Amino acid sequence: MSLITVERKVLDMNDKIAQENRLIFKENNIFVTNILSSPGAGKTSLIEKTIECTKEKFSTVVIEGDIETSLDAQRIDALNIPVVQIVTNGACHLDADLVKDAFKNLNKKDANLLIVENVGNLVCPAEFDIGENIKVVILSVTEGEDKPHKYPLVFRESEVLIINKIDLLPYLKISLETLRSNALAINPKLKIFETSCYSGEGLEVWCKWLENRIKFFD
Ligand SMILES: Nc1nc2c(ncn2[C@@H]2O[C@H](COP(=O)(O)OP(=O)(O)OP(=O)(O)O)[C@@H](O)[C@H]2O)c(=O)[nH]1
Ligand SMILES: [Mg+2]
């Protein structure tokens, strides 16, 4: 019983800071995309590709979240994009307070898109609002079509599902149609894209959608 109370307090405090973040992001006229997935589904790869295909339209900055290492931040830094790495030292998600601090330390002059790569995990990050405009969940085709039913919260909370690594489909038994219908059964409003960060398939459609989504945010 007391454990449940503590957890509620932590989430209430997080929601309060997330609302403050939302105001700060709005004041800075910056659209915030929170990217979630299990480890290795392709979050950093998709961020790299998104930066590349939207560079004429947006000035992007990135916050990276990892349990250990700054390897992902190094990949973004190599593109000359301002980036701050949060190392959680074991925590399985980013929270609003960590993102607030990281945002303060970000060189964000003229930026209008902030992409946050959350810690690789399909469970905890979905519970923590960080003040983002949209959550995007990535699922790679090797993870199986049952994941929306097994990890429903992240699919419920996300506006977008990106099914990544579709270049691997010829080697797998997964049905994309079943995966899509499982995801839509959990969240009928999900916007679904199919991408390959290797072949480039589907990336333009995703980037165009993001451009429009940012154009019309208030
Ligand atoms: N075949 C294939 N491999 C991919 C694709 N996208 C990413 N990968 C590979 O998948 C592995 C993980 O990609 P990352 O982008 O590092 O994944 P991540 O989700 O950021 O991983 P974590 O940050 O560790 O959770 C790397 O070896 C990528 O090269 C894709 O579309 N197709
Ligand atoms: Mg990564």
Side-chain angles (χ1 to χ4, degrees):
M1 193 64 197
S2 61
L3 258 183
I4 291 168
T5 312
V6 170
E7 190 188 340
R8 191 60 259 159
K9 274 192 180 152
V10 169
L11 288 173
D12 286 348
M13 177 59 80
N14 184 74
D15 286 352
K16 192 172 158 278
I17 301 170
Q19 277 312 109
E20 291 166 15
N21 284 355
R22 216 160 251 123
L23 289 176
I24 294 168
F25 297 146
K26 203 167 179 178
E27 276 162 22
N28 282 268
N29 204 24
I30 200 158
F31 185 91
V32 183
T33 302
N34 183 8
I35 310 251
L36 303 92
S37 83
S38 56
K43 295 178 293 301
T44 315
S45 303
L46 189 86
I47 293 169
E48 291 168 330
K49 295 294 177 188
T50 303
I51 287 167
E52 194 182 309
C53 71
T54 60
K55 65 173 184 262
E56 307 296 330
K57 302 273 163 67
F58 302 120
S59 167
T60 302
V61 291
V62 175
I63 293 175
E64 285 290 344
D66 274 294
I67 288 177
E68 293 281 350
T69 84
S70 59
L71 291 169
D72 285 357
Q74 289 169 33
R75 286 167 64 179
I76 303 301
D77 185 58
L79 305 174
N80 284 322
I81 294 291
V83 58
V84 169
Q85 175 82 51
I86 301 172
V87 176
T88 65
N89 284 315
C92 58
H93 60 270
L94 295 180
D95 64 30
D97 204 28
L98 286 170
V99 171
K100 189 178 197 175
D101 271 353
F103 189 70
K104 272 185 212 151
N105 290 309
L106 202 50
N107 172 14
K108 53 197 171 282
K109 193 171 168 293
D110 300 330
N112 42 18
L113 172 61
L114 166 63
I115 304 181
V116 180
E117 176 174 346
N118 220 304
V119 177
N121 183 324
L122 269 188
V123 185
C124 319
E127 292 182 22
F128 285 80
D129 184 5
I130 56 169
E132 72 281 302
N133 295 92
I134 58 170
K135 285 188 178 73
V136 172
V137 57
I138 304 177
L139 194 70
S140 57
V141 291
T142 51
E143 291 171 76
E145 62 229 341
D146 56 354
K147 294 304 166 290
H149 286 300
K150 294 178 84 170
Y151 304 93
L153 185 64
V154 70
F155 293 88
R156 226 172 263 140
E157 290 284 318
S158 296
E159 186 168 322
V160 173
L161 163 62
I162 293 185
I163 302 172
N164 191 34
K165 308 196 185 180
I166 57 169
D167 55 289
L168 297 178
L169 282 172
Y171 311 102
L172 304 169
K173 288 190 177 144
I174 186 172
S175 155
L176 272 193
E177 211 181 305
T178 308
L179 172 53
R180 290 173 72 98
S181 76
N182 286 349
L184 291 169
I186 299 296
N187 179 358
K189 289 190 186 149
L190 262 181
K191 183 84 197 148
I192 303 177
F193 297 93
E194 293 160 15
T195 62
S196 166
C197 293
Y198 276 18
S199 71
E201 205 179 333
L203 291 170
E204 213 181 297
V205 185
W206 147 247
C207 289
K208 272 267 160 304
W209 180 88
L210 183 64
E211 280 172 29
N212 274 319
R213 181 67 179 78
I214 295 174
K215 236 187 261 168
F216 296 112
F217 98 99
D218 71 272

